[in-house]
Amino acid sequence: MASFPDSVNENEIGKAKFIGELLVPVAPFDQKSGRETWTVAFAPDGSYFAWSQGHRIVRLVPWSKCLKNFGGEGSNRAGTRRLSRQDSEGGTVVPVGEPREHTIDCGDIVWGLAFGSSVPEKQSRCVNIEWHRFKFGQDQLLLATGLNNGRIKIWDVYTGKLLLNLMDHTDIVRDLTFAPDGSLMLVSASRDKTLRVWDLKDDGNMVKVLRSHQNWVYCSAFSPDSSVLCSVGAGKSVAGVSVFEGRERRADIKQPVQAAGWWHQCHYYCRAGTHCAPAQGAVLHLPDRKVSHTMSLRRLPPEVFLWDMDKYSLIRKLEGHHNDVVSCEFSPDGALLATASYDTRVIIWDPHMGTVLLELAHLFPPPSPIFAGGANDRWVRSVAFCHDGRHITSITDDRMVRFWTIDETSPQAIAPLTNGLCCAFSTDGSFLAAGSRDGSVHFWACPKSIASLQHLCRMALRRVMSTQQVQTLPIPPRIRSYLSYQDL
């Protein structure tokens, strides 16, 4: 098994430029769990960078300060855009100088992080209450943290002050995401198999619970216009036993179990000594007398759901992965959706049609569904879309970071990373941050290339048109295919 196809020479692939790292001071032999950096995030305005450095701690660092410490590359580009902010309680304008660094003790292990910024024109969906405790202004910047105990804590980024403590999940809050339209609508994904929608402009009241996942929910992501939500999660295993000899008595019993792999079979032989066929699904066949039988565990497909966030209803389920899907993100124009899975692949979808456009493989030759559904040492941990709409990054268990372009099936550049867990692009798309199991964060400069005018026009068009609308345009088929990303 190899990380690249035979036609690709790993030595000829470009190497991403490493620019720096943020380390956590630890004791020499401190290898306990709880140190992991499960998530990293950049503020929407590029002013702050946040990461969970393990042991309940979240660090908020001015991004311009990070770049200056790394050697000044791009520090002028990431200067502070904010000169004042509106206090969340009093409504008064408070002058602010340079952003300050904060260390936040969240009280429990932090699994999810998300920045949220407010737009005054976006009112709360709750129209029956005139008074609210918090009045978030235009320059308000919030940080949401999802904890191991199922709680969500909301912090003021500028002061490090705790504003809200949201409690409703019954298990780990694995991921958080804010609607990008400035409405301060927050979606939390949890191991309790649910997604919850919170309205922070309504003092954090819960709006809706989305229930369709049958197992852990790992991640969720909004489309750029905030109208669609993607949620991804683990698959589900069901057990069954089949017996075939003479007349048989059947009982339909579905028994969910936790197991890795598409099929696991255990054969049992009794006095009759004959062999039987494996169970298809979760049907238990009970014989009239003792015979041989086979018990199997079948891995049901992992779950990728698309939700209509105006109606809070399920749009469709996307099927194509063979193992747990753990990360997802939309392209900046909303025309593409990237999902990362433990089956060694990143799949690029057309979310409007539910079709697969491109598969980015991390193991060659491609594994069978049985092998891809198990522990294959090439699990893809995270995927991120660059803001130019052309580049994608993936983090895998083979100690490598890959930088891809959407028009190629081989990486444009690679970089070494041991025990990587998560990644995120900076606001301007110039840098990539990746967190690891030891609590540290590593940064690389993204491969630079000038986007074609065709691509820029395609992104501008796809921001306002769905695939179905593009298909109805009276234009040549070749142009229609390009605008629909059918040429990937």
Side-chain angles (χ1 to χ4, degrees), residues 388 390-391 404-405 407 412 429 446-452 455:
D388 63 5
R390 296 181 62 244
H391 291 90
W404 312 77
T405 58
D407 51 2
Q412 181 182 9
C446 300
K448 296 181 180 179
S449 61
I450 299 177
S452 66
H455 176 70

Side-chain angles (χ1 to χ4, degrees), residues 179-476:
D181 61 0
S183 62
L184 289 184
M185 298 296 291
L186 174 68
V187 173
S188 56
S190 172
R191 287 187 179 179
D192 65 9
K193 308 177 185 179
T194 67
L195 298 135
R196 281 169 164 76
V197 185
W198 314 81
D199 186 355
L200 298 193
K201 287 195 174 182
D202 189 23
D203 296 336
N205 284 330
M206 190 175 64
V207 177
K208 188 71 174 179
V209 180
L210 304 179
R211 307 177 187 271
S212 282
H213 285 272
Q214 300 299 312
N215 211 330
W216 293 354
V217 187
Y218 280 104
C219 183
S220 63
F222 272 102
S223 62
D225 62 0
S226 303
S227 64
V228 177
L229 180 79
C230 175
S231 63
V232 298
K236 180 181 177 182
S237 295
V238 291
V241 177
S242 290
V243 177
F244 290 90
E245 189 197 27
R247 298 184 60 185
E248 57 186 27
R249 179 162 46 90
R250 299 187 178 186
D252 295 329
I253 299 178
K254 294 182 179 180
Q255 179 64 40
V257 294
Q258 295 289 341
W262 192 265
W263 286 100
H264 294 260
Q265 298 181 356
C266 300
H267 301 283
Y268 297 88
Y269 294 89
C270 299
R271 295 179 181 177
T274 56
H275 186 63
C276 57
Q280 302 295 322
V283 180
L284 177 64
H285 303 271
L286 300 179
D288 291 332
R289 60 184 184 276
K290 293 182 179 181
V291 294
S292 65
H293 60 281
T294 299
M295 182 177 69
S296 351
L297 301 180
R298 181 184 179 186
R299 185 74 166 178
L300 297 182
E303 299 169 330
V304 180
F305 292 141
L306 295 179
W307 305 85
D308 184 334
M309 294 308 290
D310 292 325
K311 302 177 182 177
Y312 300 118
S313 60
L314 183 64
I315 300 175
R316 63 171 57 92
K317 178 180 179 180
L318 306 180
E319 296 186 357
H321 283 294
H322 303 308
N323 207 335
D324 294 359
V325 186
V326 295
S327 181
C328 62
E329 190 164 342
F330 282 91
S331 62
D333 59 3
L336 303 175
L337 171 67
T339 58
S341 170
Y342 289 167
D343 67 2
T344 76
R345 296 178 300 160
V346 169
I347 295 182
I348 310 300
W349 310 80
D350 182 335
H352 301 284
M353 306 296 291
T355 55
V356 176
L357 298 176
L358 180 66
E359 293 187 9
L360 304 178
H362 297 72
L363 184 62
F364 296 91
S368 65
I370 296 177
F371 187 73
N376 50 59
D377 77 6
R378 292 294 195 282
W379 285 1
V380 186
R381 296 284 180 174
S382 182
V383 66
F385 243 114
C386 185
H387 299 280
D388 63 5
R390 296 181 62 244
H391 291 90
I392 301 170
T393 295
S394 59
I395 304 288
T396 55
D397 282 351
D398 62 355
R399 301 183 179 183
M400 202 173 297
V401 180
R402 292 170 172 82
F403 295 84
W404 312 77
T405 58
I406 60 174
D407 51 2
E408 295 181 7
T409 56
S410 298
Q412 181 182 9
I414 58 176
L417 177 64
T418 302
N419 293 326
L421 291 176
C422 59
C423 63
F425 280 99
S426 61
T427 306
D428 61 359
S430 299
F431 305 97
L432 178 82
S436 62
R437 288 190 178 275
D438 62 4
S440 62
V441 183
H442 307 262
F443 297 88
W444 293 271
C446 300
K448 296 181 180 179
S449 61
I450 299 177
S452 66
L453 182 59
Q454 288 179 325
H455 176 70
L456 295 177
C457 292
R458 175 170 61 180
M459 286 189 63
L461 181 69
R462 292 309 307 269
R463 283 190 174 98
V464 296
M465 296 188 70
S466 66
T467 304
Q468 292 89 338
Q469 292 171 322
V470 170
Q471 295 295 340
T472 61
L473 293 176
I475 55 178

Side-chain angles (χ1 to χ4, degrees), residues 38-39 52 58 109-114 144-147 173-176:
W38 289 111
T39 181
S52 58
V58 169
I109 296 175
V110 180
W111 289 81
L113 281 178
T145 57
L147 307 182
V173 177
R174 188 62 184 84
D175 183 70
L176 296 166

Side-chain angles (χ1 to χ4, degrees), residues 11-287:
N11 296 325
E12 296 179 355
I13 301 177
K15 302 300 187 290
K17 181 182 178 182
F18 180 76
I19 64 169
E21 60 186 352
L22 298 175
L23 302 177
V24 179
V26 294
F29 301 102
D30 183 10
Q31 300 296 329
K32 297 179 181 179
S33 62
R35 301 174 54 204
E36 299 88 352
T37 296
W38 289 111
T39 181
V40 295
F42 288 90
D45 62 355
S47 59
Y48 274 93
F49 172 75
W51 88 98
S52 58
Q53 64 177 34
H55 301 305
R56 320 186 310 182
I57 302 300
V58 169
R59 290 286 299 278
L60 277 167
V61 183
W63 180 232
S64 58
K65 179 181 178 181
C66 284
L67 290 176
K68 189 177 299 183
N69 293 339
F70 295 156
E73 181 175 350
S75 58
N76 295 332
R77 191 167 45 219
T80 306
R81 305 177 188 176
R82 174 178 43 81
L83 299 177
S84 64
R85 71 172 179 86
Q86 184 171 354
D87 185 80
S88 58
E89 295 184 358
T92 58
V93 176
V94 181
V96 177
E98 289 295 321
R100 294 182 297 171
E101 184 174 339
H102 298 285
T103 300
I104 300 175
D105 187 344
C106 296
D108 208 338
I109 296 175
V110 180
W111 289 81
L113 281 178
F115 282 100
S117 58
S118 174
V119 176
E121 291 76 14
K122 291 289 184 178
Q123 300 297 324
S124 169
R125 295 197 179 190
C126 181
V127 296
N128 298 322
I129 301 178
E130 296 293 336
W131 178 86
H132 292 96
R133 176 185 175 189
F134 297 104
K135 299 178 181 178
F136 296 116
Q138 182 175 2
D139 296 319
Q140 191 69 37
L141 186 61
L142 304 178
L143 178 72
T145 57
L147 307 182
N148 194 72
N149 58 13
R151 296 189 179 188
I152 302 169
K153 292 187 177 181
I154 311 298
W155 310 83
D156 187 323
V157 171
Y158 304 139
T159 65
K161 179 183 177 181
L162 178 63
L163 301 178
L164 290 169
N165 196 349
L166 310 179
M167 297 177 290
D168 201 66
H169 283 293
T170 59
D171 208 335
I172 293 172
V173 177
R174 188 62 184 84
D175 183 70
L176 296 166
T177 181
F178 276 98
D181 61 0
S183 62
L184 289 184
M185 298 296 291
L186 174 68
V187 173
S188 56
S190 172
R191 287 187 179 179
D192 65 9
K193 308 177 185 179
T194 67
L195 298 135
R196 281 169 164 76
V197 185
W198 314 81
D199 186 355
L200 298 193
K201 287 195 174 182
D202 189 23
D203 296 336
N205 284 330
M206 190 175 64
V207 177
K208 188 71 174 179
V209 180
L210 304 179
R211 307 177 187 271
S212 282
H213 285 272
Q214 300 299 312
N215 211 330
W216 293 354
V217 187
Y218 280 104
C219 183
S220 63
F222 272 102
S223 62
D225 62 0
S226 303
S227 64
V228 177
L229 180 79
C230 175
S231 63
V232 298
K236 180 181 177 182
S237 295
V238 291
V241 177
S242 290
V243 177
F244 290 90
E245 189 197 27
R247 298 184 60 185
E248 57 186 27
R249 179 162 46 90
R250 299 187 178 186
D252 295 329
I253 299 178
K254 294 182 179 180
Q255 179 64 40
V257 294
Q258 295 289 341
W262 192 265
W263 286 100
H264 294 260
Q265 298 181 356
C266 300
H267 301 283
Y268 297 88
Y269 294 89
C270 299
R271 295 179 181 177
T274 56
H275 186 63
C276 57
Q280 302 295 322
V283 180
L284 177 64
H285 303 271
L286 300 179

